[in-house]
Amino acid sequence: MGPKTGKPAMAAGLCCLLLASMYAALFFGPVPLSAQEIHAALTGAASEDSVRTATIVHDLRLGRIVVSVLCGMALALAGAVFQGLLRNPLADPFTLGISSGAACGAALALTLGWAGSNALAVPALPLAALIGAFTALALVLSLSRISGDFSRESLILGGIVVSTVLAALLTLIKALNEESVSAIVFWIMGSFQGRTWEQARLMLPYLIPGFLLVLAQARELDLLALGGEQAAQLGVAVTRARIVLVIGAGLLTAAAVSVSGIIGFVGLVVPHLIRLLAGGDARTVLVFSALGGGLLMLWSDTLARSILDHGAELPAGVVTALFGGPFFCLVMARRGQRA
């Protein structure tokens, strides 16, 4: 199988695997369901006696599955953009502090009462997350610039500093607003508990533009990997391309964090694995990372809600951190060997 046929086949395989995984995830939950019941609910063939089953499948499980897949796609895609744009294999929304910024913005919105049941107030939550994400990114870039460049090390150090400060700010917000503590803790832990089609709908105004902006700049992202000067010589409007890519990745991060909270390492792990399997072409990495991120997040959430008994569940962020942390250490060790 040649490269030209291998990548479409791999993309088709990932799509099939993702759809099959979404179907398989419908079986996991505190209420056991048979394949016949799930099939009847999905095809609308459920009888009036099976309204409860249809509600479980459509409203509870399928809505949550879709939200987790969309979040995984968004975070992995944002990670692929930041790694390519900053030419830093350790960059992702979590390590750069952007996820923390989005969570901080969401926490402030919760504290100010912008995320209540009021139908007009609910959409303010993703917007607040977006403002927080871009504020954090601006701080990281400013701190990195103090050292005179945008080196890999200074960006990661800037991300650590910003994340630490934002974590302290979140703690302060919790301390000053005891009534909102439980809601704010949700953003810190990262979970899909109680997520439904409503959260998927809230993500779309930020998710769709983010996807389109990033995918439209795939060629520029490829050339920017050569360095800004070389990219400019090859006809890339460097500043414009960087701004568009940062806006796209910020939209994707804010869309994910606004409904799931902080979930780390998806944007770090998935693009790395995709590059190992399919090469470094930017368009390939972006498309495959989106599919891989959705797949990884789906199974992380499925494991998180299945590993405990009596309907209890872990935050999905705990699962991703358990495998993402060692992976981060592995990347650091490989970089140390090459230095």
Side-chain angles (χ1 to χ4, degrees):
M1 185 180 294
K4 291 185 178 180
T5 57
K7 290 181 180 178
M10 184 178 172
L14 278 174
C15 287
C16 292
L17 184 58
L18 181 59
L19 291 174
S21 296
M22 292 175 71
Y23 179 76
L26 290 172
F27 288 88
F28 292 86
V31 179
L33 296 175
S34 67
Q36 291 77 15
E37 289 175 316
I38 291 176
H39 178 75
L42 291 176
T43 58
S47 65
E48 293 183 358
D49 296 335
S50 304
V51 171
R52 175 173 165 270
T53 300
T55 300
I56 292 173
V57 172
H58 278 287
D59 298 340
L60 300 181
R61 296 187 186 177
L62 190 55
R64 176 172 178 159
I65 287 169
V66 170
V67 172
S68 66
V69 169
L70 291 178
C71 284
M73 286 182 163
L75 291 176
L77 199 49
V81 171
F82 284 126
Q83 288 175 14
L85 187 61
L86 303 176
R87 295 192 293 168
N88 189 331
L90 298 177
D92 85 330
F94 182 72
T95 56
L96 289 176
I98 301 169
S99 293
S100 298
C104 214
L108 282 173
L110 287 166
T111 302
L112 296 173
W114 294 352
S117 56
N118 187 305
L120 295 177
V122 171
L125 200 58
L127 180 60
L130 179 67
I131 294 172
F134 282 122
T135 301
L137 179 60
L139 289 172
V140 172
L141 293 176
S142 298
L143 287 174
S144 177
R145 197 171 185 177
I146 293 175
S147 65
D149 56 17
F150 293 104
S151 68
R152 300 170 177 178
E153 290 75 14
S154 62
L155 283 168
I156 296 302
L157 287 174
I160 292 172
V161 171
V162 170
S163 294
T164 304
V165 172
L166 291 174
L169 181 58
L170 279 170
T171 303
L172 179 63
I173 293 172
K174 285 191 297 180
L176 296 177
N177 300 276
E178 294 183 358
E179 294 179 357
S180 303
V181 167
S182 59
I184 294 173
V185 167
F186 162 79
W187 301 106
I188 299 174
M189 297 177 70
S191 171
F192 294 100
Q193 187 172 22
R195 302 300 92 184
T196 66
W197 291 103
E198 175 64 15
Q199 281 68 43
R201 185 186 67 78
L202 288 175
M203 293 177 68
L204 292 182
Y206 302 88
L207 202 60
I208 293 175
F211 269 107
L212 295 178
L213 284 176
V214 166
L215 292 177
Q217 296 293 312
R219 174 183 171 276
E220 285 77 5
L221 187 60
D222 243 344
L223 296 178
L224 285 172
L226 302 173
E229 188 175 339
Q230 286 184 282
Q233 291 174 351
L234 293 170
V236 175
V238 174
T239 302
R240 175 185 173 280
R242 283 175 172 165
I243 291 174
V244 172
L245 285 165
V246 166
I247 290 175
L251 285 168
L252 293 169
T253 303
V257 176
S258 66
V259 300
S260 69
I262 301 176
I263 296 182
F265 298 110
V266 176
L268 172 69
V269 173
V270 175
H272 269 288
L273 294 177
I274 293 301
R275 288 192 188 91
L276 289 175
L277 294 173
D281 174 70
R283 189 176 298 277
T284 301
V285 171
L286 292 174
V287 173
F288 286 17
S289 291
L291 294 171
L295 194 62
L296 177 60
M297 188 67 86
L298 170 62
W299 280 112
S300 294
D301 181 51
T302 302
L303 181 62
R305 62 187 171 91
S306 306
I307 198 170
L308 300 179
D309 296 329
H310 309 299
E313 61 178 75
L314 293 169
V318 172
V319 178
T320 59
L322 286 175
F323 66 77
F327 188 88
F328 185 89
C329 293
L330 179 63
V331 173
M332 290 288 288
R334 290 185 62 184
R335 281 176 46 77
Q337 291 173 355
R338 291 175 182 173

